Amino acid sequence: MVREFQAIVMAGGRGSRMTEITAGRPKCTIPIGNKPMVWYPLNLLQRTGIKDAILVVMEQMKSAVQAALEPLGLKINVDIVTIADEDWGTADTLRFLSDRIKSDVIVVSCDFITDMSLHPILDLHRLHSNGVMALYFEPQPSDNTLVTPGPKSKFKPERDLVGLDEKTSRLVFVGSVSDFDSEVPISREIMEKHPVIDMYSKITDAHFYIFKKWVVDFLVHKKNISTLKGELLPYLVKKQASKRNKIDKRAEANTSAIDEDTKKDIFDFAQESYLTLKVRNISFYNDHKSDMNSAYHGDSIRCYGFLAPSHKFGARINTIVDYCNINRQIKDRWEMVTGGVQFVRVHSSADIKSTQMDDTCMVGENTTIAEKTSIKACIIGARCEIESKVRLANCILMNGVKIREGCILSNCVVCDGVEICNNAELKDCLIGSNNVISAEAKHTSEVLTVPDRLMQI
Amino acid sequence: MSRKGPKGTKGPTETLKKEDVVQAVVIADSFRTEFHPITYSVPAALIPVVNTALLDYTLECLSLSSVQEVILFCSSHADLIKDHVKQSRWSDDTSTMLVTVIVSETCRSLGDAMRDLDAKAVIRSDFILVSGDMVANLNLLPILEYHRKVQKQDKGAVMTLVFKEAGPGHSSHISDKAILAVDAVTGRILAHKKVKAGNKKITLPLEIYVDQPRVQLRNSLLDTHVAVCSPAVPPLFSDNFDFQTRDDFVRGLLINEEILASTLYWYKLQEDQYATHVSSWKMYQSVSRDLIYRWVYPFVPDAPFFWNSEPYMFLRHNVYKQKSVKLGKGCMLTEDVVIAENTSVEENTQIGHSVIGKNCHIGKNVVIDKSYIWDNVTIGDNCKISYAVIAHGSELGMGVKLSRGCVLCPNVVLPRDTNLDANILVASDVLNKDSFDQDEEYKLDKVAEKAYRVQVLQAESDSEDEEQVQPLCGLCLSEEEKEEENESESGSEDELSDGGAMSERASPVPDDTHYLAPSDFHLFTKLKDFLGGTHFGSDEELKKTVNTWLNELAAEEYNTGILKLVNRYDKLFFSEVMDSLTRGYEDNLHPDNLILEINSSRYAYNVSMREVNYFVVKALLTLPIQIRAADATPKYLNEFNKLLKHFLPIMQNYVRNSDAQQDCLQAIEDMASSTEVVQGGLTKLIHLLYDKDVLSEENIVKWYNNGDEESPTASSLRKQVSRLETNLFCMR
């Protein structure tokens, strides 16, 4: 049975922007609110009514991801596909999966978390799109007073320049701010077709795309495109404005020289069905006013951009800053982000003897917390051991962390299997997985990782 | 709507502060040439649109918006405008709006007008700035309030521009097509870019996108030329004397935002509000149509706006006619027709889509279509008129045919059976020269005693403004518009290919670009002649043809080409030497440096030593004429003597041996035979150089004897110096 949409969750990345905590483990398994990151997009798809999803992971990470997924109890069929080549871009991956793709495809990144319902986006796609649909978010309000653990870094995110038609949401312009020197050219023809264009420079691309099936076929044909956002999306957006007949003529002239397959251009792929066109011709519908052109100005490739309403939350977790922010917010956003999955603040198997643990903390399964501990606004993973006289504030503890007597940690991220020995004092630190912090150690704003692990990367 | 109208609209004023008097400035002059030559006799603001002067629409609209004080600024035809205002109801005692006329004859632009206002200090608070050719039904008070609201948030807000939304395909987008970039949140204008026909891309600076989270690019706006200004605007014009038009102002403010600390905002008119200004014949036609189709309600022909006219009847098919109109038997008013009082139309005449003024007489079997006829026009029998404007007092004999955008200026008399087509302008008499704009030249063709065809000889000197290239085109909307656009496009292409010819009329001082322009190279001109008018199916074909042509070309052709190049280099070298010497004289540079400079030019152009001598002397001889403007022989010699004091070392440096002296004398001879001033002083010149030890007597004698006997100039020159020669000879 061919379904309306197929979903692909891209989890092949290594988290290169936050290696401190992703070293040696798949990025998609780092916990957010005690769930692996990839659970959120999968849950989102499941909620939307998607039955099957393809999860793309690196070959060596497959078992780890499988292990992380098993206890989650997702109803959606997750088909884990591995890719071998580390250098593959997102478009390469999509090309690799082309045999499995039978219908329009939703491509979502494993680090995507939103409280938006996907239905309005899917509807816009169903109605108008013939190409790609992209999802954008307004800049999220964030609390700048909070200190991010680790050394201070000036992280400058890349800014996109996105142009949407004010009325129809047609995506008419994409570019990166760094692509332009001092001036930005926009073709006059586009301005004629879209009299009012909203240009955004501060919105973020959610890396959530819906492609028409033909785009995947086109990718198979056009081998030199390797990323979705950087290459395919601008290409499609640009091609919207070009006219087919010009290319046709050239193709005719060169028929003899070039063989059938290579002379196909994007417009051969972008053809709409006979019935659709017929219906559009008969219909009075038009997507624009003020000139006498047919609907969509006769464009066969149509890209749309969906800008989420400003009160909606949406984020990609690909930096330490994002990771800390989302963990701080997840308790408040849980209801909306997960679509009503029951919120387990403290797992029933946890053994908590502490009396000074506030309500904002989360505790995973089989974790033991000894008496005379003070724990504030922390997220504590599974199988952790926290001994007495430990003070924790604003910390994120992943799984299997052992904190010995008398430690004081504030605003730290502690990765899997870390052991922190007696009376250590850590502030604003990132502690890489399986590290052992010696007793009485004192660190502030540092990254503490096992050196050889970093070397591997 | 009538005289009572303004009294009823006191309500909105109360929302404004009591002490405020709402001021409006009306610029009753477009300072443009679109309506030339009709505006030589009628001011643009008094051109009638649907039988009412444009200024009346403007003033009515202001009055309906409860404007209390209007400053009417006029420059050309000020007396006519004054009279018009004096006769209007605004001069009535009961008028709620005070109209003050300010006249400045010397004023040439909006900028001048604003500077004048600043000097006169008549602006007290925020004011409304409109042009006298505005047709609008909008209420200006909300815009004024919006402007004040914006000003509370942004102290630098000086102007709120009013735009009307209309799709890119809208017919009123004829002129002033512009793209506006605005901050979507605040409404601040970030960029205003005029769109020219050839532009494929629109480039805007990156920073406007980066600084604002959301920037709207709007291509769908009609500029209504209505603006609300702060009192800071006239001083800004005074401070920046290069601001001429409102566009200059907008551009200047946007570019120098930080320096001038002034910002612009925009205001979008609501859908039901109409505002435009009649800036060209095309707009004239489009606005007339809108008025007839009642888009500008309450400004419709049948509304009793205008106090001294009898009311119109509004009949089926948009036919408006006043009571005293006489229609003959079998006369047909098809649709969209306006006919004013006391006009008589005789039998079997057909009128459609047209406006006819007062006291006109139209004969039998006349066909009038899509035309605008002003007052007191007489049209003979069997005339056929389409797409024409006929100004008041004109007379058309029987069987006259006018088509495709004719414009008849006032009082033209066309004899019977005249046939005029296309964008021909006919003006009566010789155009009164004094009111002429210097930058336009016309040719007048006599058609009849009181009818002359006007042709624009030369387009505007500043061809940047493409709109002004054809200021004289008439109506031609709808079906013919496209055709015309094509024509103008092909016209501009022609201009491009004629680029070579354009540079021919270069200034007397040799212009480098002229000599080096590739199109000037002899092969290209020949190739152009050869290829002219032929068509090729493919690139290959073209390549082949050009190759065979090149192969067939005789070897001499190349030779002459290269020789020509040498010649060109010589000319260039000469001009460089001239430049060096001129500068050297003006800045009093040391002769040694000039020699260095000349020598380096010599290597750059690969000129032989003897030629250098020749050219240097020639340049020195030219200098007194060039820079001291010596026009008589005594003055020339005097100046040359002065120059020589400075340049003698140069002379001595180059004119050393006898060969060089011969070159020097050759140069003098050439100069003398071409320039009278030099010729007159030839003897003295040679004597002077002899005295300065530049020339030796042997060489002078040698030169004298070597003269080409056959050339008349050479021998006559020698005759002149014979006395000197004898003297020299004797000395020996």
Side-chain angles (χ1 to χ4, degrees):
Chain A
M1 190 183 84
V2 178
R3 303 203 193 268
E4 190 190 5
F5 291 106
Q6 281 176 287
I8 297 176
V9 180
M10 296 283 190
R14 290 178 314 245
S16 49
R17 292 189 196 89
M18 42 196 237
T19 44
E20 299 89 343
I21 57 172
T22 57
R25 63 183 296 174
K27 173 189 169 188
C28 63
T29 60
I30 59 169
I32 294 170
N34 284 340
K35 295 267 187 194
M37 184 189 265
V38 72
W39 178 79
Y40 292 91
L42 286 171
N43 175 269
L44 175 71
L45 292 167
Q46 176 178 307
R47 231 158 68 211
T48 313
I50 309 277
K51 304 278 186 228
D52 308 282
I54 299 169
L55 181 64
V56 183
V57 295
M58 299 288 291
E59 196 145 14
Q60 61 267 37
M61 306 292 189
K62 189 181 176 180
S63 51
V65 175
Q66 244 165 354
L69 279 182
E70 249 164 51
L72 294 174
L74 284 161
K75 288 189 198 82
I76 188 169
N77 288 325
V78 180
D79 182 3
I80 300 181
V81 176
T82 59
I83 50 170
D85 193 337
E86 293 199 5
D87 295 329
W88 272 12
T90 40
D92 296 321
T93 309
L94 197 56
R95 189 180 295 123
F96 172 71
L97 295 172
S98 61
D99 291 344
R100 297 163 181 261
I101 294 170
K102 302 279 184 285
S103 60
D104 293 356
V105 55
I106 300 170
V107 177
V108 52
S109 169
C110 70
D111 54 9
F112 176 55
I113 295 185
T114 183
D115 61 359
M116 244 190 70
S117 157
L118 290 185
H119 292 295
I121 311 165
L122 296 178
D123 285 345
L124 184 62
H125 171 83
R126 287 178 181 122
L127 274 172
H128 301 298
S129 168
N130 189 32
V132 60
M133 203 43 252
L135 174 63
Y136 294 95
F137 281 94
E138 302 256 14
Q140 304 290 334
S142 65
D143 192 352
N144 285 329
T145 56
L146 294 173
V147 184
T148 306
K152 290 209 172 64
S153 64
K154 278 261 175 200
F155 175 69
K156 269 197 186 157
E158 202 164 285
R159 280 170 69 181
D160 295 324
L161 204 53
V162 180
L164 298 176
D165 185 302
E166 187 205 28
K167 291 215 168 63
T168 63
S169 288
R170 261 294 267 284
L171 185 58
V172 295
F173 188 91
V174 283
S176 168
V177 167
S178 54
D179 290 348
F180 305 102
D181 290 336
S182 57
E183 287 196 316
V184 182
I186 291 184
S187 116
R188 168 116 177 261
E189 208 186 321
I190 290 177
M191 290 296 308
E192 297 290 319
K193 281 185 189 171
H194 307 281
V196 184
I197 297 176
D198 279 332
M199 296 289 281
Y200 297 91
S201 59
K202 293 191 172 140
I203 57 176
T204 48
D205 187 333
H207 283 240
F208 175 97
Y209 305 108
I210 307 175
F211 291 104
K212 277 273 175 189
K213 161 92 169 66
W214 65 260
V215 178
V216 180
D217 298 336
F218 172 70
L219 265 183
V220 174
H221 165 76
K222 187 136 177 125
K223 299 263 191 281
N224 56 355
I225 290 180
S226 78
T227 60
L228 294 179
K229 178 174 187 280
E231 294 169 58
L232 182 63
L233 187 65
Y235 184 82
L236 290 174
V237 168
K238 210 175 118 200
K239 278 289 169 191
Q240 292 183 103
S242 24
K243 283 189 197 73
R244 156 155 218 157
N245 47 5
K246 263 193 221 159
I247 298 150
D248 242 5
K249 266 185 212 154
R250 203 191 56 212
E252 267 168 40
N254 300 343
T255 328
S256 53
I258 302 166
D259 80 335
E260 279 290 299
D261 196 44
T262 48
K263 91 161 204 235
K264 273 175 124 180
D265 69 42
I266 187 163
F267 293 96
D268 292 307
F269 292 99
Q271 261 160 22
E272 289 170 275
S273 75
Y274 173 75
L275 263 181
T276 316
L277 291 174
K278 196 102 182 157
V279 167
R280 194 175 305 145
N281 277 339
I282 298 169
S283 154
F284 285 118
Y285 171 76
N286 206 332
D287 69 328
H288 64 275
K289 295 197 278 190
S290 83
D291 64 18
M292 305 300 275
N293 291 331
S294 55
Y296 310 119
H297 297 270
D299 294 346
S300 58
I301 302 175
R302 295 184 299 273
C303 304
Y304 285 83
F306 191 98
L307 179 63
S310 52
H311 61 273
K312 288 288 183 186
F313 171 81
R316 287 193 64 209
I317 314 304
N318 52 13
T319 62
I320 297 281
V321 183
D322 295 329
Y323 182 72
C324 296
N325 279 340
I326 188 67
N327 273 303
R328 281 167 194 149
Q329 294 172 4
I330 194 74
K331 293 174 288 284
D332 306 327
R333 298 196 182 273
W334 185 269
E335 176 78 23
M336 288 303 291
V337 159
T338 61
V341 171
Q342 205 202 344
F343 180 55
V344 184
R345 198 173 71 78
V346 177
H347 198 271
S348 53
S349 60
D351 175 21
I352 299 169
K353 296 193 181 102
S354 169
T355 48
Q356 289 190 36
M357 190 173 91
D358 65 2
D359 296 344
T360 57
C361 293
M362 289 179 81
V363 182
E365 55 190 354
N366 294 325
T367 288
T368 55
I369 297 176
E371 299 148 330
K372 292 178 186 164
T373 52
S374 153
I375 296 168
K376 287 199 177 76
C378 289
I379 297 181
I380 298 165
R383 302 179 306 281
C384 292
E385 288 172 30
I386 295 170
E387 296 186 353
S388 58
K389 291 175 192 160
V390 166
R391 275 190 282 155
L392 299 176
N394 290 317
C395 288
I396 301 162
L397 271 53
M398 295 190 191
N399 301 330
V401 177
K402 295 183 178 69
I403 298 182
R404 301 296 174 213
E405 241 180 66
C407 287
I408 302 169
L409 273 70
S410 77
N411 202 23
C412 290
V413 177
V414 186
C415 293
D416 283 359
V418 170
E419 185 176 354
I420 300 175
C421 297
N422 293 0
N423 301 323
E425 271 180 49
L426 303 175
K427 188 168 182 270
D428 301 337
C429 284
L430 294 172
I431 300 119
S433 43
N434 299 323
N435 202 351
V436 180
I437 305 290
S438 52
E440 314 285 341
K442 279 187 185 164
H443 296 282
T444 317
S445 299
E446 274 179 72
V447 181
L448 309 168
T449 42
V450 182
D452 60 348
R453 272 199 186 279
L454 264 184
M455 290 302 284
Q456 270 178 18
I457 296 156
Chain B
M1 296 308 120
S2 70
R3 266 169 286 172
K4 293 165 206 155
K7 284 178 198 159
T9 49
K10 266 187 184 162
T13 0
E14 284 159 13
T15 58
L16 294 169
K17 280 182 228 156
K18 279 239 168 97
E19 62 268 27
D20 280 345
V21 171
V22 182
Q23 280 184 311
V25 172
V26 177
I27 309 290
D29 200 319
S30 63
F31 307 112
R32 294 162 71 139
T33 58
E34 268 80 2
F35 287 113
H36 282 184
I38 226 167
T39 40
Y40 291 144
S41 43
V42 186
L46 294 187
I47 288 178
V49 176
V50 191
N51 295 330
T52 304
L54 277 168
L55 188 61
D56 289 337
Y57 289 102
T58 312
L59 293 179
E60 276 292 344
C61 175
L62 294 175
S63 149
L64 286 181
S65 301
S66 313
V67 171
Q68 286 134 308
E69 192 184 333
V70 171
I71 295 155
L72 187 63
F73 198 96
C74 21
S75 92
S76 54
H77 304 291
D79 40 340
L80 288 176
I81 295 173
K82 261 186 178 165
D83 284 352
H84 185 88
V85 173
K86 209 174 272 173
Q87 281 162 30
S88 73
R89 67 186 178 87
W90 311 117
S91 312
D92 223 63
D93 292 341
T94 55
S95 165
T96 51
M97 188 168 82
L98 178 71
V99 180
T100 322
V101 181
I102 291 184
V103 181
S104 169
E105 301 272 346
T106 54
C107 174
R108 280 278 157 272
S109 67
L110 174 76
D112 292 341
M114 296 310 270
R115 283 182 274 274
D116 203 45
L117 287 180
D118 187 36
K120 292 196 165 83
V122 285
I123 301 298
R124 289 187 298 272
S125 64
D126 295 335
F127 64 100
I128 296 155
L129 176 67
V130 299
S131 58
D133 52 9
M134 173 182 80
V135 176
N137 65 356
L138 49 86
N139 186 359
L140 292 158
L141 284 185
I143 308 172
L144 196 62
E145 273 163 43
Y146 173 80
H147 179 74
R148 289 179 180 166
K149 206 178 90 199
V150 164
Q151 252 186 339
K152 267 181 203 149
Q153 285 155 6
D154 179 357
K155 287 269 185 301
V158 291
M159 199 189 258
T160 301
L161 302 169
V162 181
F163 291 92
K164 166 99 183 145
E165 183 134 63
H170 195 274
S171 66
S172 299
H173 274 299
I174 305 157
S175 56
D176 320 309
K177 215 166 156 63
I179 283 177
L180 200 69
V182 294
D183 185 334
V185 185
T186 61
R188 190 159 72 86
I189 296 177
L190 305 166
H192 182 263
K193 196 123 188 165
K194 287 250 164 193
V195 182
K196 288 194 183 134
N199 293 7
K200 285 239 167 99
K201 296 258 173 190
I202 291 140
T203 45
L204 292 173
L206 179 65
E207 71 233 31
I208 67 166
Y209 297 119
V210 180
D211 297 346
Q212 274 73 226
R214 180 173 162 208
V215 176
Q216 269 185 343
L217 301 180
R218 290 183 167 267
N219 184 31
S220 53
L221 297 176
L222 285 178
D223 190 348
T224 61
H225 284 244
V226 176
V228 176
C229 307
S230 304
V233 170
L236 271 173
F237 271 99
S238 299
D239 294 346
N240 298 275
F241 52 85
D242 56 330
F243 289 172
Q244 292 301 323
T245 60
R246 209 187 73 180
D247 285 338
D248 287 344
F249 179 77
V250 169
R251 201 183 313 125
L253 245 59
L254 291 175
I255 292 172
N256 303 318
E257 214 174 87
E258 288 88 19
I259 305 168
L260 300 174
S262 311
T263 47
L264 301 164
Y265 284 80
W266 80 296
Y267 181 89
K268 189 172 119 184
L269 279 189
Q270 271 136 33
E271 299 242 313
D272 58 342
Q273 295 191 314
Y274 183 97
T276 187
H277 77 136
V278 180
S279 57
S280 65
W281 284 119
K282 283 178 180 170
M283 283 308 286
Y284 180 88
Q285 189 177 19
S286 133
V287 170
S288 300
R289 222 169 35 175
D290 290 343
L291 282 162
I292 293 171
Y293 289 154
R294 308 176 82 78
W295 283 110
V296 204
Y297 189 85
F299 293 88
V300 287
D302 56 323
F305 255 113
F306 306 107
W307 62 320
N308 51 0
S309 64
E310 67 180 85
Y312 279 92
M313 289 181 282
F314 177 38
L315 309 171
R316 257 158 59 142
H317 305 304
N318 282 329
V319 172
Y320 302 83
K321 121 183 139 60
Q322 274 172 330
K323 247 190 180 158
S324 51
V325 171
K326 290 189 197 99
L327 294 179
K329 218 181 187 181
C331 180
M332 280 245 293
L333 307 179
T334 50
E335 55 177 344
D336 309 336
V337 180
V338 180
I339 304 184
E341 55 194 316
N342 291 325
T343 288
S344 60
V345 182
E346 287 188 36
E347 289 151 45
N348 297 326
T349 286
Q350 268 195 40
I351 304 174
H353 309 279
S354 298
V355 176
I356 292 164
K358 289 187 283 197
N359 305 322
C360 290
H361 179 86
I362 296 165
K364 292 174 201 157
N365 297 320
V366 175
V367 179
I368 299 175
D369 185 34
K370 302 184 180 74
S371 296
Y372 300 90
I373 294 166
W374 299 1
D375 300 342
N376 305 321
V377 173
T378 310
I379 295 174
D381 298 349
N382 301 320
C383 284
K384 282 201 164 52
I385 298 162
S386 63
Y387 290 105
V389 175
I390 302 176
H392 45 73
S394 296
E395 269 178 57
L396 272 61
M398 286 196 284
V400 170
K401 278 185 190 155
L402 299 177
S403 54
R404 291 218 294 150
C406 287
V407 177
L408 266 62
C409 286
N411 307 320
V412 171
V413 178
L414 284 180
R416 56 184 302 166
D417 297 326
T418 317
N419 197 343
L420 293 173
D421 177 38
N423 299 318
I424 302 164
L425 270 239
V426 186
S428 60
D429 313 316
V430 180
L431 290 167
N432 38 335
K433 284 279 180 201
D434 50 16
S435 64
F436 247 56
D437 260 30
Q438 314 86 317
D439 37 356
E440 273 185 313
E441 275 184 55
Y442 296 106
K443 199 176 103 193
L444 296 177
D445 267 352
K446 190 166 176 178
V447 177
E449 200 173 332
K450 291 187 83 181
Y452 295 82
R453 183 179 298 150
V454 183
Q455 277 168 330
V456 182
L457 281 187
Q458 222 169 22
E460 299 284 79
S461 47
D462 50 334
S463 50
E464 284 169 40
D465 221 339
E466 278 167 38
E467 292 161 354
Q468 295 195 327
V469 172
Q470 20 166 239
L472 295 183
C473 63
L475 308 171
C476 289
L477 258 185
S478 22
E479 56 265 348
E480 284 171 63
E481 190 181 19
K482 276 207 172 135
E483 206 180 290
E484 206 188 292
E485 266 176 18
N486 289 342
E487 273 171 32
S488 67
E489 264 169 38
S490 62
S492 61
E493 271 167 33
D494 284 350
E495 261 181 50
L496 280 180
S497 59
D498 283 347
M502 292 280 283
S503 58
E504 293 291 345
R505 51 180 177 85
S507 51
V509 176
D511 177 10
D512 301 7
T513 51
H514 169 56
Y515 293 113
L516 285 181
S519 64
D520 222 353
F521 184 61
H522 82 296
L523 263 187
F524 287 107
T525 36
K526 285 219 164 91
L527 185 61
K528 218 162 83 182
D529 293 344
F530 168 68
L531 290 178
T534 36
H535 290 273
F536 296 96
S538 70
D539 285 359
E540 289 302 313
E541 209 178 314
L542 175 68
K543 267 187 208 165
K544 220 173 127 189
T545 328
V546 172
N547 273 333
T548 42
W549 180 78
L550 284 172
N551 289 333
E552 281 166 7
L553 217 59
E556 299 161 39
E557 297 281 352
Y558 294 102
N559 264 337
T560 49
I562 298 302
L563 287 177
K564 270 188 191 170
L565 212 57
V566 171
N567 196 13
R568 191 177 297 172
Y569 273 157
D570 286 352
K571 278 186 191 165
L572 271 177
F573 174 71
F574 178 66
S575 73
E576 293 254 335
V577 173
M578 279 298 290
D579 286 350
S580 301
L581 291 180
T582 316
R583 209 160 34 78
Y585 181 71
E586 279 162 2
D587 302 351
N588 207 9
L589 296 179
H590 196 274
D592 286 352
N593 295 342
L594 287 174
I595 289 168
L596 267 179
E597 215 168 280
I598 292 168
N599 282 345
S600 62
S601 311
R602 177 198 157 197
Y603 293 115
Y605 294 101
N606 195 21
V607 181
S608 76
M609 198 57 220
R610 295 198 60 167
E611 277 168 323
V612 176
N613 300 336
Y614 174 82
F615 282 123
V616 169
V617 174
K618 197 173 168 186
L620 280 171
L621 289 170
T622 322
L623 273 184
I625 305 171
Q626 281 277 316
I627 59 173
R628 309 297 305 178
D631 44 6
T633 309
K635 193 181 176 196
Y636 175 82
L637 287 172
N638 201 8
E639 292 294 342
F640 184 73
N641 210 348
K642 270 190 215 160
L643 280 174
L644 212 55
K645 270 179 203 150
H646 187 71
F647 285 134
L648 192 63
I650 299 181
M651 200 81 157
Q652 281 163 345
N653 178 66
Y654 285 103
V655 189
R656 279 181 185 153
N657 52 19
S658 73
D659 275 351
Q661 289 187 22
Q662 286 303 316
D663 293 333
C664 169
L665 282 161
Q666 187 60 42
I668 297 174
E669 183 183 337
D670 287 356
M671 274 303 285
S673 52
S674 62
T675 325
E676 264 181 45
V677 199
V678 184
Q679 195 184 343
L682 183 63
T683 323
K684 285 189 177 150
L685 200 62
I686 295 178
H687 196 234
L688 180 71
L689 291 176
Y690 171 73
D691 282 348
K692 299 270 180 203
D693 283 336
V694 176
L695 297 172
S696 69
E697 64 254 34
E698 292 95 356
N699 280 307
I700 297 175
V701 174
K702 192 177 165 196
W703 165 75
Y704 182 78
N705 293 333
N706 277 357
D708 187 353
E709 305 263 305
E710 275 151 51
S711 135
T713 47
S715 48
S716 73
L717 288 175
R718 284 184 176 65
K719 216 173 268 169
Q720 247 192 63
V721 287
S722 58
R723 208 163 50 86
L724 177 70
E725 191 262 346
T726 0
N727 283 346
L728 289 173
F729 210 72
C730 294
M731 276 160 70
R732 279 217 309 208

